[in-house]
């Protein structure tokens, strides 16, 4: 038997971004209290939490107070310092565990782990020097995508080497980056589509899987997600099975998002695994019986997992950077609020930066085509022609 945390308990969250805020919304609706720890006092989840800690993660005094305050801990961001997670885990249940985090925090360790379990990933190699870069290029070919092994998100810390003439620029980045930075080079997959699958796994190994989502990224940032994905039922089955197997191999407890490429030749390859709710799962708030955030609450509290029924086809569109102003002000703002089937979510971030995730809108409709058409229409209104050169180099 695993202990059950009943409503009224205080749940701790490491990280206070929009994922933490949406977790808090789900937890409070279910009668729980939430303590957020995020060093950024402006992090959106602080506004909705019962208790807030905004000192650096290295602060031992806060660490002691946090552990005394909460009865179980989860996270909304995988790059929480491993030492902190290990320390906290001595006293409180941490979902996902520090062992799982250790594997997933580092793209190299993650891909090595998946390969060792015979799970399919794009060909990859570590790159430590210019000499080795050339060896990797001759083995994997071009184009090649080079990523920092740690801390990247939304395409940050990634460089695409399309052709030989791009090599010198990356060589400079490689040689000037700190010796502590590890680099992974991956074969650039010419995919037909990107997919993602949310898998929830409890301490007793009970598992549930959400429908397969189809994602479109622009410059490494998620643009929109369509569910159900327009793939055959056998491909959907294969994607779900692969995702469940990956989480089982990890002995993961919590909610995980498996990002996949469907390659031109039909193969499914795992791109990466996030040990937390995911942007591509935001549609679950408006289109499923139980959202990804409620599942996270259920897992850490030891409650039975929720049903994952899709109530309606859905398309989620991210509001990036100043696109958010299109739904905040004037007639255009009114328009989205009067669009049937549109649910607007704004994260309340004070500072708008290019490409920053400021909110999202989910479009639901009886037919997938209707949701897709509404989302496309909305997107063509809010987006500006890309004026910002992305971080992907
Ligand atoms: P992040 O942590 O920033 O999400 P990802 O590895 O998922 O990092 O990369 C972001 C996006 O960049 C992916 O969703 C995909 O569109 C593209 N990408 C990343 N790696 C590859 C690859 N090996 N081949 C093709 N596209 C890739
Ligand atoms: Mg990703």
């Amino acid at each position: 038997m695993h202990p059950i945390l009943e409503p009224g308990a205080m749940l701790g969250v490491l990280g206070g971004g929009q994922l933490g805020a949406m977790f808090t919304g789900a937890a409070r609706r279910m009668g729980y209290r939430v303590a957020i720890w995020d060093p950024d006092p402006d992090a959106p989840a602080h506004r909705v939490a019962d208790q807030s800690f905004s000192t650096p993660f290295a602060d031992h005094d806060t660490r002691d107070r946090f552990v005394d305050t909460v009865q179980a801990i989860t996270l909304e961001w995988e790059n929480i310092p491993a030492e902190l997670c290990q320390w906290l885990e001595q006293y409180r249940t941490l979902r996902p565990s520090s062992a799982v985090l250790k594997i997933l925090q580092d793209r190299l360790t993650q891909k090595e782990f998946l390969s060792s379990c015979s799970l399919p990933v794009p060909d990859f190699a570590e790159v430590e020097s210019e000499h080795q870069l050339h060896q990797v290029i001759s083995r994997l070919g071009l184009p090649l995508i080079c990523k920092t092994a740690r801390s990247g998100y939304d395409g940050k810390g990634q460089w695409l080497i399309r052709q030989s003439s791009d090599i010198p620029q990356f060589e400079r980045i490689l040689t000037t980056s700190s010796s502590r930075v590890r680099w992974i080079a991956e074969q650039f997959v010419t995919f037909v589509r990107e997919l993602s699958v949310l898998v929830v796994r409890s301490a007793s190994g009970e598992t549930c899987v959400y429908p397969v989502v189809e994602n479109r990224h622009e410059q490494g940032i998620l643009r929109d997600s369509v569910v159900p994905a327009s793939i055959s039922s056998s491909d959907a089955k294969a994607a779900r099975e692969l995702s469940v197997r990956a989480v089982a191999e990890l002995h993961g407890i919590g909610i995980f998002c498996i990002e996949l490429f469907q390659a031109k030749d039909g193969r499914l390859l795992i791109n990466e695994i996030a040990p937390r709710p995911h942007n591509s799962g935001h549609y679950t708030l408006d289109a499923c019986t139980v959202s990804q955030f409620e599942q996270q609450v259920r897992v850490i509290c030891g409650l039975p997992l929720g049903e994952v029924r899709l109530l309606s086809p859905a398309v989620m569109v991210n509001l990036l950077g100043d696109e958010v102003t299109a739904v905040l002000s004037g007639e255009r703002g009114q328009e989205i609020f009067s669009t049937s089937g549109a649910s607007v979510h704004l994260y309340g971030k004070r500072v708008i930066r290019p490409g920053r995730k400021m909110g999202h809108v989910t479009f639901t409709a009886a037919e997938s085509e209707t949701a897709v058409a509404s989302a496309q229409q909305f997107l063509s209104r809010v987006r500006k022609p890309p004026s910002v050169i992305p971080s992907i180099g």
Side-chain angles (χ1 to χ4, degrees):
M1 259 313 269
H2 295 280
I4 291 175
L5 281 183
E6 292 176 352
M10 179 75 89
L11 311 178
V13 185
L14 300 169
Q18 63 269 17
L19 298 175
M22 289 185 261
F23 169 87
T24 305
R28 291 183 61 142
R29 181 172 56 74
M30 295 165 78
Y32 292 93
R33 294 173 300 140
V34 177
I36 294 286
W37 186 1
D38 190 310
D40 176 3
D42 270 345
H46 286 308
R47 291 189 305 149
V48 290
D50 294 273
Q51 282 210 39
S52 273
F53 300 87
S54 53
T55 45
F57 283 130
D59 186 278
H60 284 192
D61 180 47
T62 305
R63 188 186 73 173
D64 296 346
R65 284 192 296 128
F66 185 74
V67 91
D68 285 343
T69 306
V70 304
Q71 281 146 279
I73 304 169
T74 188
L75 44 95
E76 61 110 56
W77 189 51
E78 52 277 22
N79 296 313
I80 306 292
E83 316 75 63
L84 173 64
C85 294
Q86 276 161 6
W87 188 89
L88 292 169
E89 210 170 28
Q90 298 175 92
Y91 307 100
R92 294 288 179 266
T93 303
L94 174 72
R95 307 285 191 219
S97 69
S98 63
V100 168
L101 274 181
K102 200 167 167 220
I103 296 171
L104 299 185
Q105 275 180 342
D106 183 294
R107 293 182 197 276
L108 270 162
T109 317
Q110 182 180 144
K111 287 216 161 62
E112 278 157 6
F113 173 82
L114 294 171
S115 296
S116 73
C117 302
S118 305
L119 287 157
V121 293
D123 285 338
F124 70 96
E126 182 168 8
V127 175
E128 285 174 301
S129 63
E130 284 170 87
H131 171 67
Q132 211 185 11
L133 175 68
H134 288 273
Q135 287 181 330
V136 172
I137 290 172
S138 45
R139 186 159 72 78
L140 302 184
L142 292 179
L144 200 65
I145 187 158
C146 297
K147 309 178 182 178
T148 52
R150 288 174 169 268
S151 303
Y153 69 99
D154 288 347
K156 291 182 170 60
Q158 302 192 5
W159 275 263
L160 179 61
I161 306 179
R162 267 181 228 280
Q163 56 213 12
S164 318
S165 56
D166 295 335
I167 298 172
Q169 192 197 0
F170 181 69
E171 279 176 335
R172 272 195 299 280
I173 290 160
L174 183 66
T175 48
T176 51
S177 70
S178 152
S179 58
R180 287 197 310 266
V181 176
R182 298 212 302 160
W183 289 90
I184 178 173
E186 294 173 17
Q187 185 180 50
F188 188 79
V189 180
T190 41
F191 51 78
V192 185
R193 52 176 71 82
E194 287 192 77
L195 304 169
S196 59
V197 180
L198 284 169
V199 175
V200 194
R201 191 167 176 276
S202 72
S204 60
E206 183 196 356
T207 300
C208 62
V209 197
Y210 281 86
V212 182
V213 179
E214 187 169 336
N215 300 313
R216 251 177 0 107
H217 291 80
E218 284 175 5
Q219 292 143 8
I221 307 174
L222 183 63
R223 179 68 275 179
D224 50 36
S225 297
V226 178
V227 62
S230 56
I231 54 174
S232 67
S233 55
S234 60
D235 284 343
K237 186 165 174 274
R240 286 157 51 105
E241 279 174 3
L242 202 57
S243 303
V244 169
R245 192 154 75 80
V247 176
E249 294 282 9
L250 279 167
H251 300 286
I253 302 172
I255 179 156
F256 296 82
C257 181
I258 292 75
E259 295 181 16
L260 302 148
F261 297 128
Q262 187 177 34
K264 266 198 176 138
D265 59 10
R267 277 182 317 148
L268 288 169
L269 302 170
I270 298 180
N271 169 31
E272 62 170 347
I273 302 181
R276 52 164 171 80
H278 194 262
N279 192 172
S280 68
H282 288 353
Y283 78 91
T284 60
L285 284 166
D286 301 302
C288 286
T289 39
V290 174
S291 76
Q292 58 173 349
F293 303 102
E294 178 172 335
Q295 301 284 14
Q296 191 179 12
V297 176
R298 286 172 179 250
V299 174
I300 69 168
C301 295
L303 302 173
L305 302 186
E307 187 197 37
V308 293
R309 188 156 46 95
L310 184 66
L311 300 170
S312 151
V315 182
M316 190 268 339
V317 177
N318 270 334
L319 291 167
L320 303 172
D322 62 8
E323 290 168 2
V324 71
T325 53
V327 299
L328 286 178
S329 54
E331 268 173 43
R332 290 164 91 200
Q334 312 262 309
E335 229 168 275
I336 187 61
F337 286 105
S338 54
T339 305
S340 61
S343 305
V344 180
H345 299 252
L346 299 177
Y347 308 149
K349 293 180 183 172
R350 288 196 308 127
V351 181
I352 299 178
R353 282 194 294 269
R356 190 175 197 202
K357 291 173 178 166
M358 304 300 295
H360 70 269
V361 183
T362 305
F363 297 87
T364 55
E367 304 294 333
S368 206
E369 296 73 32
T370 316
V372 169
S374 303
Q376 275 173 355
Q377 209 179 26
F378 173 69
L379 203 49
S380 63
R381 277 207 316 271
V382 299
R383 75 187 312 170
K384 293 189 179 154
S387 56
V388 192
I389 301 302
S391 57
I392 190 164

